[in-house]
Structure formats: C-alpha cells, structure tokens
Amino acid sequence: MTNEVDPDGEIGWVVELLSDEPFVPASAEPRAWALPEGVAVLSTWTSQEQTIGNPVNATLSVARTASREGHWVRFHSLSREEGDSENDVCVSEFVVDTFDAPIPASQH
C-alpha cells in the first residue's frame, strides 16, 4: 500500500495485490520492492519492533502517523526466513517505509 493525494487534496491509500508473496532471506533488507531512486528513506519500521498488541494495527498506526505528517509512505508484508536452511521456519513481517518526500499526487 502507498499513500497519495487526490485532486481535492484528500489523502488516500492505494492497494496493490500481488499473486505471490515475496520471500526475503534473513540477511536481506526487509522489502518486497525496490526503493524509489532519488528519494531518501527517513525511517523503516518493521513489525519485529512491535512488542504489544496486534502487529497489523501497529503497522497501520505507524503508516497513518507518517502520512498525517505529510510524508510519502509505502508498506507491505513479506515472509522472512528464520534459520540457515530452506527448511527452517518463515514468519510474516510488516514493513513501513517513510520517505523524505511529500505524498505523491494520485495516478488513479
């Protein structure tokens, strides 16, 4: 999901559903997509930082807060390998990237 501003100035969210869930090895950056070129990342929050409550609610809270502050935000989920072999357990993780950029205009 990513935030965007419609022609009336309202902030909304766009959902892109993927047919395959991305897999990220434990040693890789926790992202299912490439970062945009020329835009700095202010912060990256992952649900592994979450300690109390529902990780989905925490993810939405982090994304909404950054969006209210006027930042471009993208968030997604991924599976993360835990262990050294392909037979080890994978866990779901949520990632919120906050960019040092204004919320982009709607393309829809």
Side-chain angles (χ1 to χ4, degrees):
M1 291 182 72
T2 188
N3 58 349
E4 63 180 26
V5 178
D6 70 19
D8 296 328
E10 297 293 318
I11 298 172
W13 296 93
V14 177
V15 178
E16 181 180 348
L17 300 176
L18 303 173
S19 60
D20 295 317
E21 186 171 356
F23 179 81
V24 178
S27 61
E29 288 293 320
R31 291 185 182 86
W33 36 263
L35 291 172
E37 290 187 30
V39 179
V41 177
L42 286 176
S43 66
T44 296
W45 178 92
T46 75
S47 57
Q48 289 184 345
E49 297 174 41
Q50 163 64 10
T51 58
I52 299 173
N54 182 313
V56 174
N57 288 338
T59 302
L60 295 173
S61 177
V62 169
R64 282 190 207 119
T65 297
S67 186
R68 278 193 298 266
E69 294 171 354
H71 296 289
W72 179 20
V73 176
R74 292 200 301 188
F75 66 96
H76 60 98
S77 62
L78 53 87
S79 292
R80 186 181 263 304
E81 175 187 310
E82 286 197 347
D84 295 329
S85 75
E86 60 186 61
N87 295 326
D88 288 330
V89 176
C90 291
V91 296
S92 290
E93 181 177 354
F94 300 99
V95 180
V96 179
D97 282 321
T98 302
F99 299 102
D100 187 15
I103 301 168
S106 175
Q107 300 297 312
H108 301 93

